[in-house]
Amino acid sequence: MPQIARTVLIAFALLALGAPSLAQQAPALTRAQIEQIVREYLLNNPEIIVEAIETLEARQRQAKQADQRDAIAAHKDQLYRDADAPVAGNPNGDVTLVEFFDYRCPYCKQVAPALTQLLKEDNKLRFVFKELPILGPDSVIAARAALAANAQGKYMAMHSALLRHRGSYDEATVLRIATEAGLDAARLKADMAKPEIEAMIDRNRSLARALSLTGTPAFIIGDKVVPGAADLETLKMLVAEARKR
């Protein structure tokens, strides 16, 4: 057992036993004796290890959530009012839901129908798209194409077509998808290469780091980060809670 683990277990056992006298005697005990006490205590009370781990994990979650709330407050304009970010739903909605996503992410594809349904049912919801291509070069090509489609007023058409696609997102494939979605592929290719497109993606990456996002999809609503492919009922609940606040 590594020395740091031995030290942690010894300290844990002394505290868990709640025996001041033992703590006072500790300097007089040999290392072997203390380790034997720890071993016997943990063998007789194995549930204490689970309790300690659960408590530690809960504290870590609470600390992360507090940090994320602070980060949301510090970056709220970038999250909710970025003029370059594509928006769906009601542009003047009373609640804004932000999604960080990657077109190659299977969970982003999985949650897409629920989001579509949510926007159909809730005419007061404003939805902000944040491309976060984290799954390789194909993800970056797809994100660039979607953002470039905005210049033709066809972001949603391209976004939906890219999400429906199964397979690679090399440039030739993306341009074919664009043509099928009614875009001018030559113009799209030129717009994809513009530095402002890469700048938007870089801003999203920086924002994701500030919010400690570790994957996609990830939703931001109010002062809360919600990771993972939330189902329709969960999304409705989150919107309802935000609306009450």
Side-chain angles (χ1 to χ4, degrees):
M1 179 185 294
Q3 181 59 38
I4 187 169
R6 293 179 188 274
T7 304
V8 170
L9 285 176
I10 291 168
F12 173 75
L14 290 173
L15 291 171
L17 282 168
S21 60
L22 179 59
Q24 292 165 2
Q25 295 172 26
L29 297 174
T30 66
R31 176 171 169 173
Q33 287 172 323
I34 294 174
E35 289 181 358
Q36 184 60 29
I37 292 169
V38 171
R39 183 176 185 278
E40 290 177 1
Y41 182 79
L42 294 178
L43 287 175
N44 291 328
N45 303 274
E47 68 280 358
I48 203 74
I49 298 176
V50 177
E51 291 174 9
I53 292 172
E54 289 176 346
T55 298
L56 176 61
E57 289 177 343
R59 289 178 180 174
Q60 289 174 334
R61 282 195 301 273
Q62 290 167 1
K64 182 176 181 179
Q65 289 167 357
D67 288 343
Q68 287 177 324
R69 284 195 297 272
D70 291 343
I72 290 171
H75 299 86
K76 62 181 180 181
D77 287 340
Q78 290 173 264
L79 274 169
Y80 296 121
R81 298 297 168 189
D82 181 351
D84 294 326
V87 173
N90 186 338
N92 300 310
D94 61 349
V95 170
T96 297
L97 178 63
V98 180
E99 182 193 15
F100 286 80
F101 62 94
D102 184 313
Y103 289 107
R104 291 189 63 216
C105 166
Y107 302 105
C108 299
K109 294 179 186 294
Q110 176 186 320
V111 78
L115 292 170
T116 299
Q117 186 62 31
L118 180 66
L119 287 167
K120 282 181 181 178
E121 293 182 14
D122 191 336
N123 60 13
K124 294 182 179 179
L125 179 64
R126 179 174 176 269
F127 191 91
V128 177
F129 299 90
K130 293 286 187 182
E131 279 84 358
L132 184 63
I134 58 175
L135 297 176
D138 275 14
S139 296
V140 176
I141 292 172
R144 284 176 177 164
L147 291 170
N150 214 19
Q152 298 184 43
K154 291 184 179 274
Y155 175 84
M156 283 305 301
M158 191 63 181
H159 172 77
S160 298
L162 289 168
L163 281 176
R164 286 194 302 269
H165 178 70
R166 300 296 185 269
S168 66
Y169 290 96
D170 57 85
E171 186 176 273
T173 298
V174 164
L175 293 178
R176 175 181 58 77
I177 292 171
T179 299
E180 293 171 355
L183 282 88
D184 179 333
R187 179 182 172 187
L188 184 76
K189 182 176 179 179
D191 288 340
M192 285 170 63
K194 291 182 177 178
E196 53 263 38
I197 297 295
E198 189 63 29
M200 279 189 271
I201 293 173
D202 285 343
R203 290 201 302 273
N204 289 347
R205 287 175 176 144
S206 296
L207 197 50
R209 285 193 295 271
L211 296 169
S212 300
L213 303 185
T214 57
T216 55
F219 298 95
I220 316 296
I221 185 164
D223 64 353
K224 184 180 296 186
V225 174
V226 183
D231 60 23
L232 180 58
E233 292 308 310
T234 299
L235 291 167
K236 286 181 178 180
M237 179 189 69
L238 291 168
V239 172
E241 289 176 352
R243 192 160 277 145
K244 287 178 183 176
R245 293 195 295 269

